Amino acid sequence: MKQNILDAMSQRILLFDGAMGTEIQKFNPEPKDFPDGKDGFNDGLILTHPEWIRQIHREYLKAGADCIETNSFGSNKLKLDEYGFGEKTVEMNQKIAALASEVSSEFSDKPRYVIGSMGPTGFLPSSNDPDLGQISLSEIKDAYALQAEGLILGGVDALLIETSQDILEVKMAIEGAQEAMKKIGKKVPLIANVTLDQYGKMLLGTNVQAAYTTISDMGIDVFGLNCSTGPIEMTPSVRWLDEQDDLKLLVVPNAGMPENEGGHAVYKMTPEKMADALKDFITKYKQVRIIGGCCGTNPAHIAALRKVIDEADRK
């Protein structure tokens, strides 16, 4: 029987995978590759090109990842509604999770974990924006509850709320996930990430201290930081979080700060430089139990992170 992921991270540093979207782009998808020709509907590839997603998961696992995230970043009901698939939220998330579980089962050298990815809805309930702020909290919670239900039924080992820009949305996602667990009668570990800019604040101005205080006592198991910046910019926030000596921490940065080249975001931190930066986190901060890569990272970055974790374990 596979060790619980929380027990595993208490004994060793766990390694997440890298970016999904940029790996999908390597297949040069065209509108015809997506369900109903809906260009950019990456999560919908579970229906049209599941072999692409299998290959991406497999490459990250070969690179040494302990955990792979499901290709469900945009599969809450509110996002799926935009593509006409909202009524299939549970079904799609279950399929996406089952595919990741199937691939992870191919690797028997050590325990591998499937993490249910739950990205933002695209709304900002804390704002007064006439478009993004005009949505009820119950709608957001229900959207996440359906997604979490599908992911749990599909066999994930943990749920991950990630790339969150609005702390109120994070609260609703946590409540929705807990509602799904209660409905199904199965509890899985819950990880809640926030996304901070280079000044340590979320999009609407919430700083890391306020974000942590707001959700740390809501029953989450791990608090994390992901996306937006590289590891260097995350350092002050990671240091403060580690000083709280409370929840286990996840740190999943981009491959450096994005640079604009021809209207496109480019991430230039090499695997070696990123590994050196994250090595500091796992050697200096005892609460950091999970590292991985977000935008701009690929299997080469994950292989470099695997090396620094293994080296730290040998000391």
Side-chain angles (χ1 to χ4, degrees), residues 57-69:
H57 286 323
R58 199 172 284 125
E59 289 303 313
Y60 279 126
L61 290 167
K62 287 180 180 177
D66 298 298
C67 311
I68 52 172
E69 293 186 43

Side-chain angles (χ1 to χ4, degrees), residues 135-157:
I135 186 168
S136 71
L137 297 182
S138 62
E139 285 180 276
I140 293 176
K141 183 174 74 171
D142 292 346
Y144 281 115
L146 288 173
Q147 182 177 21
E149 180 181 345
L151 292 170
I152 295 169
L153 290 173
V156 299
D157 297 295

Side-chain angles (χ1 to χ4, degrees), residues 8-239:
M9 74 176 69
S10 69
Q11 297 174 8
R12 61 187 183 279
I13 305 296
L14 295 184
L15 177 60
F16 267 37
D17 55 8
M20 172 64 75
T22 46
E23 294 303 295
I24 288 174
Q25 288 305 307
K26 291 180 180 178
F27 291 100
N28 297 312
E30 300 176 10
K32 63 181 178 63
D33 291 310
F34 298 95
D36 300 334
K38 297 182 184 296
D39 194 16
F41 183 23
N42 285 351
D43 295 15
L45 292 171
I46 185 67
L47 304 175
T48 53
H49 284 287
E51 72 279 5
W52 290 0
I53 309 305
R54 284 194 187 92
Q55 182 174 328
I56 294 168
H57 286 323
R58 199 172 284 125
E59 289 303 313
Y60 279 126
L61 290 167
K62 287 180 180 177
D66 298 298
C67 311
I68 52 172
E69 293 186 43
T70 56
N71 184 40
S72 54
F73 181 81
S75 288
N76 60 73
K77 185 179 184 300
L78 292 171
K79 293 296 288 186
L80 289 179
D81 278 341
E82 298 176 11
Y83 293 101
F85 284 81
E87 296 306 310
K88 296 183 178 181
T89 299
V90 174
E91 175 187 342
M92 284 195 60
N93 279 278
Q94 186 170 356
K95 285 184 178 180
I96 291 169
L99 181 145
S101 296
E102 172 193 321
V103 177
S104 71
S105 68
E106 297 173 8
F107 295 76
S108 58
D109 56 331
K110 62 180 179 179
R112 308 288 183 131
Y113 299 95
V114 175
I115 312 299
S117 171
M118 300 169 65
T121 62
F123 292 93
L124 299 170
S126 296
S127 78
N128 294 318
D129 185 279
D131 296 316
L132 302 182
Q134 301 306 306
I135 186 168
S136 71
L137 297 182
S138 62
E139 285 180 276
I140 293 176
K141 183 174 74 171
D142 292 346
Y144 281 115
L146 288 173
Q147 182 177 21
E149 180 181 345
L151 292 170
I152 295 169
L153 290 173
V156 299
D157 297 295
L159 292 173
L160 172 70
I161 300 161
E162 63 173 333
T163 321
S164 307
Q165 301 280 5
D166 186 327
I167 196 63
L168 191 52
E169 181 179 73
V170 181
K171 290 180 66 175
M172 292 303 99
I174 292 170
E175 291 184 10
Q178 291 169 337
E179 188 175 279
M181 294 182 212
K182 185 176 180 180
K183 176 181 178 181
I184 297 171
K186 180 180 180 181
K187 181 173 173 56
V188 299
L190 184 56
I191 306 167
N193 284 359
V194 297
T195 295
L196 308 174
D197 63 19
Q198 59 186 317
Y199 307 107
K201 294 183 178 182
M202 298 176 72
L203 180 64
L204 299 179
T206 306
N207 62 27
V208 66
Q209 294 88 347
Y212 183 80
T213 301
T214 299
I215 66 172
S216 60
D217 63 351
M218 289 187 67
I220 63 173
D221 299 287
V222 179
F223 184 92
L225 305 177
N226 83 292
C227 203
S228 187
T229 71
I232 295 170
E233 294 77 18
M234 286 184 177
T235 301
S237 297
V238 173
R239 183 185 304 117

Side-chain angles (χ1 to χ4, degrees), residues 251-266:
V251 184
V252 178
N254 294 338
M257 290 290 290
E259 299 180 30
N260 190 320
E261 292 189 358
H264 298 284
V266 178

